[in-house]
């Protein structure tokens, strides 16, 4: 799986990583969310509350609100959408044979990944659980303010 963190590196490091992946013919699976706003809410909430799939068990024991609400400005959404679009376009540019996997359909896409890797199909063994089961209206404190943001008009 390729993560956008590669594209946050300085140019020399980024190019070294990208070239190594290409030179070694590494199969790229690009995991993305279909909904930019859901992705931004998730990232912001995880950052604000120091929540991740790795530390969820200790957080749950300490009764931390893993479904904490966040406030997001329209400017933040626009910046995030622009960065994500540039990042996704970079993946397409650098890796013509990358396979895009959607976070929302990862369970149904799992056998596609196995097939591409020439591995026998099997059931996905899930260790992670969804950390925030709320809809966006209940996850964003200023939802009414940002709900009319139209990504396609802004990009």
């Amino acid at each position: 799986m390729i993560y956008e963190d590669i594209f946050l590196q300085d140019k020399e490091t980024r190019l070294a990583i990208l070239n190594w992946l290409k030179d070694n013919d590494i199969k790229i699976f690009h995991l993305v969310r279909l909904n930019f706003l859901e992705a931004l809410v998730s990232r912001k909430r995880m950052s604000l509350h120091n929540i991740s799939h790795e530390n969820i068990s200790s957080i749950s024991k300490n009764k931390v609100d893993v479904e904490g609400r966040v406030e997001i400005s329209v400017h933040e959404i626009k910046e995030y959408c622009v960065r994500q679009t540039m990042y996704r376009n970079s993946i397409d540019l650098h890796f013509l044979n990358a396979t895009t996997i959607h976070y929302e359909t990862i369970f149904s896409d799992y056998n596609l990944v196995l097939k591409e890797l020439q591995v026998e199909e099997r059931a996905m063994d899930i260790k992670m659980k969804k950390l925030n089961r709320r809809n966006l209206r209940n996850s964003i404190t200023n939802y009414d303010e940002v709900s009319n943001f139209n990504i396609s008009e802004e990009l």
Side-chain angles (χ1 to χ4, degrees):
M1 297 274 184
I2 193 161
Y3 296 97
E4 65 190 89
D5 296 12
I6 291 172
F7 292 89
L8 300 176
Q9 304 299 317
D10 63 85
K11 185 176 182 178
E12 184 178 335
T13 303
R14 181 179 61 246
L15 290 175
I17 293 169
L18 293 172
N19 287 333
W20 185 90
L21 292 168
K22 286 180 193 176
D23 293 346
N24 289 282
D25 200 28
I26 302 297
K27 179 66 182 155
I28 302 300
F29 294 96
H30 187 201
L31 180 63
V32 298
R33 281 192 182 254
L34 292 169
N35 185 313
F36 284 131
L37 186 55
E38 285 183 5
L40 179 58
V41 167
S42 177
R43 285 171 181 255
K44 186 162 185 173
R45 191 179 51 74
M46 290 174 83
S47 175
L48 276 173
H49 301 289
N50 195 26
I51 300 167
S52 69
H53 289 284
E54 288 81 24
N55 69 1
I56 190 63
S57 60
S58 63
I59 287 172
S60 298
K61 289 176 191 170
N62 294 323
K63 308 270 192 251
V64 174
D65 178 15
V66 296
E67 296 187 5
R69 298 179 75 191
V70 297
E71 184 170 326
I72 297 180
S73 71
V74 170
H75 177 73
E76 236 179 320
I77 298 169
K78 183 176 181 176
E79 279 188 348
Y80 182 78
C81 292
V82 167
R83 280 193 323 270
Q84 283 296 302
T85 300
M86 288 172 47
Y87 159 63
R88 291 176 185 194
N89 290 342
S90 293
I91 295 294
D92 293 341
L93 178 69
H94 289 283
F95 303 103
L96 301 177
N97 295 321
T99 300
T100 299
I101 304 296
H102 295 109
Y103 180 86
E104 294 83 354
T105 59
I106 194 163
F107 299 112
S108 59
D109 291 342
Y110 181 66
N111 281 320
L112 168 67
V113 171
L114 295 178
K115 183 178 179 180
E116 297 245 354
L117 293 172
Q118 299 176 351
V119 174
E120 184 179 317
E121 287 187 16
R122 62 187 72 166
M124 187 174 190
D125 182 22
I126 308 302
K127 300 276 190 258
M128 295 186 302
K129 65 178 183 176
K130 187 169 178 141
L131 297 181
N132 186 3
R133 292 176 173 81
R134 293 192 221 182
N135 63 30
L136 287 175
R137 176 176 291 286
N138 296 323
S139 295
I140 303 172
T141 56
N142 59 325
Y143 179 80
D144 291 335
E145 179 185 331
V146 298
S147 63
N148 292 325
F149 178 78
N150 185 329
I151 292 170
S152 58
E153 287 178 9
E154 297 294 331
L155 295 180

